[in-house]
Amino acid sequence: MSADKLKEAVESTERLVKQAEAAFAVMPVDVPEFDHVTPAAWLLRNPKVLDAKTGAVPKTLDRAQTIFEAYNKLLWGCCEAQARLVAGPGCLCVLRQPPREL
């Protein structure tokens, strides 16, 4: 699989997962179906790939950080607004306590 083959699979999106799903969908039946576990497992076995300072790695890590920061605001924002750790309606803060400051 190459980057060009992924783009050819679905030209209407830049989302690699969607491109990979489309590319694998037309492969012969003896090729394993695409799943999210295999790439994650590969990344766990090859963590040095994330040390790259060029290419798509820094941009991808920055995007992931932005997503995690947004989720953290959603999870902790309601409690911070109340200035206490008491969950209000729709608040998910009871699921996990935030780290305590020293």
Side-chain angles (χ1 to χ4, degrees), residues 37-78:
V37 175
T38 303
W42 184 90
L43 204 56
L44 285 172
R45 289 189 305 273
N46 300 279
K48 294 218 180 264
V49 170
L50 297 177
D51 292 340
K53 302 295 182 213
T54 59
V57 172
K59 181 180 177 183
T60 301
L61 292 175
D62 287 345
R63 291 174 77 181
Q65 180 175 346
T66 300
I67 291 167
F68 281 109
E69 288 172 354
Y71 284 147
N72 282 337
K73 284 182 182 178
L74 289 172
L75 289 172
W76 305 116
C78 52

Side-chain angles (χ1 to χ4, degrees), residues 4-99:
D4 290 335
K5 286 191 179 202
L6 285 177
K7 286 182 184 179
E8 290 171 7
V10 180
E11 294 179 359
S12 62
T13 183
E14 291 186 28
R15 294 181 59 195
L16 297 178
V17 171
K18 294 297 180 190
Q19 292 174 352
E21 288 171 344
F24 276 78
V26 295
M27 288 188 175
V29 293
D30 60 324
V31 174
E33 189 175 317
F34 175 78
D35 64 63
H36 299 268
V37 175
T38 303
W42 184 90
L43 204 56
L44 285 172
R45 289 189 305 273
N46 300 279
K48 294 218 180 264
V49 170
L50 297 177
D51 292 340
K53 302 295 182 213
T54 59
V57 172
K59 181 180 177 183
T60 301
L61 292 175
D62 287 345
R63 291 174 77 181
Q65 180 175 346
T66 300
I67 291 167
F68 281 109
E69 288 172 354
Y71 284 147
N72 282 337
K73 284 182 182 178
L74 289 172
L75 289 172
W76 305 116
C78 52
C79 288
E80 290 173 6
Q82 295 176 28
R84 57 195 159 112
L85 292 177
V86 176
C91 181
L92 300 174
C93 299
V94 295
L95 299 178
R96 188 176 135 226
Q97 295 294 319

